[in-house]
Amino acid sequence: MANVCFLLADGYEDSEMKNPYDAMNEAGHKTVVVGIEKGTELKGKKGTAAYTSELSISEVKATDYDAVIIPGGSAPEALRVSDEVVEFVKQAHEQGKVIAGICHGPQVMISADILNGVNSTSYIGIRDDVKNAGANFLDQEVVVDGNIITSRTPKDEPAFIKEILNKL
């Protein structure tokens, strides 16, 4: 089974964390919640989900994971300002690991400079950012291009989860 890393900070979209996280665990994959710091309680923006970071970004290596999942909400904005997070995602991409982002999740991919020339989607509010990063923006529920999987909003979660599980 696969080792799946969830990159998380406060203010994530509750369902975009909970549903993929639960689906990965139900499928038998090993999941870990990675934050900027270890042992921090991270709360969803709607208050229906809370997770504690099991490891800090400084403790993880891309080689240890098969997939990196980045839920949306305002969390990706907090994650992308961390050089360690950006470097981790960049290395995971270089190693061909699955990189999956939903809603605002692609903001971290933009900062890691991995969307240039890639078919991608995102929340409409960052569409121009995705395009400016060199991606070919597609308004679809899920877009898979090589090892990169992107989706738009919570209503797209079933397709997003299905494609992650297909890759793993």
Side-chain angles (χ1 to χ4, degrees):
M1 299 312 296
N3 288 325
V4 181
C5 169
F6 282 83
L7 289 178
L8 206 60
D10 262 339
Y12 54 88
E13 180 66 46
D14 301 48
S15 68
E16 292 174 356
M17 172 60 188
K18 182 182 183 330
N19 294 332
Y21 183 82
D22 290 350
M24 296 307 119
N25 284 312
E26 287 167 16
H29 299 297
K30 185 174 186 278
T31 57
V32 65
V33 177
V34 175
I36 302 297
E37 296 177 3
K38 179 180 182 174
T40 303
E41 185 180 26
L42 305 169
K43 296 178 183 169
K45 70 180 190 174
K46 293 186 176 154
T48 64
Y51 296 84
T52 300
S53 54
E54 299 166 77
L55 295 171
S56 73
I57 192 63
S58 62
E59 296 176 284
V60 297
K61 291 187 238 130
T63 53
D64 295 337
Y65 301 95
D66 302 295
V68 177
I69 300 176
I70 311 164
S74 60
E77 188 68 35
L79 292 168
R80 75 188 302 195
V81 298
S82 164
D83 292 339
E84 289 175 298
V85 168
V86 170
E87 187 59 30
F88 174 78
V89 171
K90 191 178 291 191
Q91 287 178 10
H93 176 64
E94 289 168 358
Q95 295 168 18
K97 308 300 174 85
V98 172
I99 313 288
I102 187 168
C103 190
H104 285 77
Q107 287 179 311
V108 179
M109 298 176 190
I110 291 167
S111 294
D113 196 27
I114 65 171
L115 291 182
N116 192 28
V118 173
N119 290 320
S120 181
T121 195
S122 68
Y123 176 68
I124 194 80
I126 63 166
R127 172 189 58 199
D128 292 343
D129 303 316
V130 168
K131 287 179 179 179
N132 289 336
N136 175 34
F137 183 86
L138 302 171
D139 187 13
Q140 299 173 1
E141 65 179 357
V142 65
V143 176
V144 180
D145 191 334
N147 62 313
I148 296 178
I149 301 169
T150 51
S151 269
R152 302 172 301 190
T153 66
K155 71 178 173 52
D156 300 328
E157 288 168 20
F160 180 66
I161 292 165
K162 178 182 175 210
E163 292 300 336
I164 295 168
L165 291 171
N166 284 346
K167 282 281 186 188
L168 295 177

